[in-house]
Amino acid sequence: RIFGLVVDQATRRILDCVLMSGLNGHLDIARALGQSPDGLYFQGVWATNAWGNLLSDAPGVLQQILVSLGYGDPRTDWRDYGIGAAQGASRAKEIANFMAFFADSHTAQYRDPGSGRVFYGTNTALEATTPFNPSRKFSLYLSWQANDPLVHYMPGDMLYLEKAQTPVYWDLKNLNVSPAGNNIGLRNNRYQPWAFVEPDSDVNSVNPAVKDPLVLRSDDWQFPTNKLPTLGWIGRVHRGTPWQTIFLKSTNALAGGNIVNWQRWTGNADPLDALGSAPTNDWRMIELFTTALSDNAARGRLSINQSGLAAWSAVLSGVIVLQADTNANRYVRGGNYFAYPIPPAGADLDAPLRRLVTAINDVRATNFPGGVFQHLGDILAVPELTDRSPFLNADAADKVWGFNDAVYEWLPQQILSLLDVRPPRYVVYAYGQTLRPAPGSVIPSGPLAGLCTNYQITAEAAVRAVFRVEGAPASPRVVLETFNPLPPE
């Protein structure tokens, strides 16, 4: 372990620190030999199990004998597979002598495929050493490297797991040349902000589930200062994993159970710890914070378990959204955006607002027990609020260069402070009167005798009640929160 500090000598204040550990890798030598980049034939020299064709049916020792007898690719230089191995005429002579060891007459001849010359060998010994003795040299490359320069304080932040356990093979022809891998004095190979590496060679190159879009360097972030205006602004706070702020999108870095990809990205070798740091766990943080100045200021928020279009329209209709300007040069670091308010749904069945409400109801009904969101952050599981917003252009270039992280999370940033996970509240106004027959209003005789034709109001009352329904839909229970008689007028 190494613990490093950068200290201001004048004030003795710590300016930076780093904790490094974990350079205790291991290597399966048999596996490393079997995976050496020699091609299938010479991999078999170290095999302990049979393969499936004539020459390589033999495990390693027998195959080594066959190569020493001249079988295999005649163009192969033994120097490629051994340190100080015979080559040229020396190799051909050694093959001839080894062949003679197996011959009844103890003599043999071998035609060198390269020169065409015939070499004669004799061998009357009772034992012989194979002239072909393959070698392999490789290094176990362990490295401390930061991916995001702002994330280097914990041991896992510096572990380059993707390369840490990968053997680096040496070229036996040039043993004085160190194999590639050492980048001391150069930019870290692990430094991988948005689109820094070609997508063909990096699965996370433009993956918004793993890193913030369009953050090409540390200075591209716009971290908030002072008090946050809305709850959704917490999405601009760095979360402590490489190139990522607090995660408010719906995509999952562990989709399909791919925890290894996330472990390599964060340097977290412990699977359980990696699960705990998964971005979608950030959703639970939303309930821990508020921008409301008091409990009274938090009243009137919309329950995310509300399903009505009219109720959601009160929150979403008129909200300003951003869209990439297709006429701008957006393919260079984000281009420009234009803003417009979300229009009311009206009768248009394909209206963006209606699509948002439909998506919220579908995700809640399909993905959550009982069709009920349990936490405020569960609303972020709706892709239409972020990754698949109906307000974002959908072509591939836009996904890479059209939107930064703030645009992806623009809707949650504006509406989260207006939402609540608690059940919907219902307000009921009740109005009652006490009546008695007015003087002379009762018919005294005839077929309608006793019928009152007019009443006199003797008393009246009005009340305002607020209640909620808990335990729905399995076992609903009405809870009365307030019951207030209203004064006259």
Side-chain angles (χ1 to χ4, degrees):
R1 292 171 178 262
I2 296 179
F3 183 52
L5 294 173
V6 178
V7 181
D8 186 315
Q9 292 294 334
T11 63
R12 306 302 298 170
R13 290 183 176 180
I14 297 176
L15 304 180
D16 204 354
C17 68
V18 60
L19 176 61
M20 297 178 288
S21 66
L23 290 194
N24 51 348
H26 63 276
L27 179 65
D28 185 333
I29 295 178
R31 180 182 294 273
L33 287 171
Q35 294 177 343
S36 60
D38 301 331
L40 178 62
Y41 179 72
F42 276 101
Q43 283 180 335
V45 173
W46 290 282
T48 57
N49 299 314
W51 294 76
N53 54 51
L54 178 62
L55 180 59
S56 58
D57 266 343
V61 174
L62 183 53
Q63 185 167 339
Q64 180 185 359
I65 294 174
L66 293 173
V67 175
S68 298
L69 290 172
Y71 291 92
D73 188 346
R75 296 167 297 179
T76 299
D77 188 342
W78 285 11
R79 187 182 171 193
D80 291 348
Y81 308 99
I83 300 175
Q87 55 182 321
S90 297
R91 185 189 73 167
K93 182 64 176 177
E94 289 198 15
I95 290 176
N97 288 335
F98 194 65
M99 292 173 63
F101 175 76
F102 291 90
D104 293 337
S105 61
H106 301 291
T107 62
Q109 62 181 28
Y110 172 71
R111 182 180 296 276
D112 181 21
S115 64
R117 294 175 54 191
V118 176
F119 291 83
Y120 298 91
T122 59
N123 195 332
T124 59
L126 297 180
E127 61 183 30
T129 301
T130 55
F132 174 72
N133 298 294
S135 302
R136 169 55 60 209
K137 183 176 181 179
F138 45 82
S139 306
L140 180 60
Y141 181 58
L142 301 173
S143 175
W144 282 317
Q145 292 195 18
N147 183 341
D148 176 356
L150 300 183
V151 182
H152 60 267
Y153 306 103
M154 306 299 291
D157 298 337
M158 301 295 292
L159 289 182
Y160 194 5
L161 292 180
E162 187 172 0
K163 301 293 185 183
Q165 303 296 339
T166 303
V168 179
Y169 295 91
W170 289 65
D171 179 1
L172 297 186
K173 290 182 178 181
N174 301 284
L175 287 176
N176 60 326
V177 179
S178 177
N182 186 345
N183 64 342
I184 295 177
L186 305 175
R187 182 179 57 232
N188 284 349
N189 293 332
R190 198 179 173 212
Y191 178 84
Q192 296 177 357
W194 182 261
F196 192 78
V197 182
E198 291 298 327
D200 291 343
S201 58
D202 178 16
V203 296
N204 296 319
S205 177
V206 290
N207 184 0
V210 171
K211 49 188 168 181
D212 283 5
L214 283 186
V215 177
L216 308 183
R217 56 182 182 174
S218 297
D219 291 340
D220 285 344
W221 271 304
Q222 297 178 352
F223 295 132
T225 57
N226 304 317
K227 293 183 178 181
L228 304 183
T230 69
L231 185 58
W233 273 63
I234 197 173
R236 296 195 181 187
V237 177
H238 201 294
R239 77 184 303 270
T241 49
W243 302 107
Q244 199 171 49
T245 51
I246 300 297
F247 193 78
L248 303 185
K249 296 182 284 296
S250 70
T251 50
N252 191 348
L254 305 182
N258 188 12
I259 189 174
V260 174
N261 180 44
W262 180 246
Q263 285 182 270
R264 289 176 174 175
W265 181 253
T266 59
N268 199 329
D270 188 320
L272 291 180
D273 288 346
L275 284 173
S277 68
T280 49
N281 289 335
D282 292 358
W283 300 348
R284 297 292 180 89
M285 295 178 57
I286 302 301
E287 290 180 314
L288 303 179
F289 300 92
T290 181
T291 55
L293 299 179
S294 65
D295 288 342
N296 287 334
R299 292 182 179 273
R301 293 182 296 187
L302 177 71
S303 170
I304 57 176
N305 288 304
Q306 172 65 257
S307 59
L309 176 63
W312 277 104
S313 295
V315 170
L316 295 170
S317 183
V319 171
I320 303 298
V321 292
L322 297 180
Q323 189 166 18
D325 186 354
T326 56
N327 295 319
N329 185 16
R330 67 188 188 282
Y331 303 113
V332 180
R333 301 195 61 186
N336 299 314
Y337 307 105
F338 63 86
Y340 70 95
I342 299 178
D348 183 3
L349 297 180
D350 197 41
L353 193 151
R354 191 181 296 272
R355 289 167 56 189
L356 288 176
V357 176
T358 299
I360 293 171
N361 292 334
D362 287 347
V363 170
R364 182 175 59 241
T366 304
N367 299 340
F368 291 87
V372 177
F373 289 133
Q374 303 297 320
H375 305 275
L376 177 58
D378 291 345
I379 190 70
L380 297 172
V382 180
E384 282 73 10
L385 291 177
T386 51
D387 315 283
R388 294 207 299 267
S389 168
F391 308 104
L392 301 182
N393 297 329
D395 63 70
D398 279 321
K399 289 181 179 179
V400 176
W401 299 111
F403 313 113
N404 62 23
D405 197 63
V407 176
Y408 269 103
E409 299 178 356
W410 191 258
L411 271 176
Q413 180 175 295
Q414 296 184 87
I415 69 173
L416 278 177
S417 291
L418 306 175
L419 303 177
D420 199 340
V421 70
R422 291 176 291 185
R425 268 63 175 173
Y426 301 91
V427 180
V428 176
Y429 288 92
Y431 179 73
Q433 293 179 329
T434 301
L435 306 176
R436 70 180 180 183
S441 62
V442 179
I443 300 176
S445 60
L448 301 178
L451 176 66
C452 182
T453 59
N454 192 15
Y455 290 90
Q456 181 180 6
I457 300 175
T458 59
E460 60 183 355
V463 296
R464 178 182 182 273
V466 178
F467 68 92
R468 68 181 187 273
V469 180
E470 295 183 345
S475 54
R477 180 173 66 94
V478 175
V479 178
L480 185 63
E481 293 190 347
T482 61
F483 184 88
N484 300 317
L486 300 179
E489 304 297 331

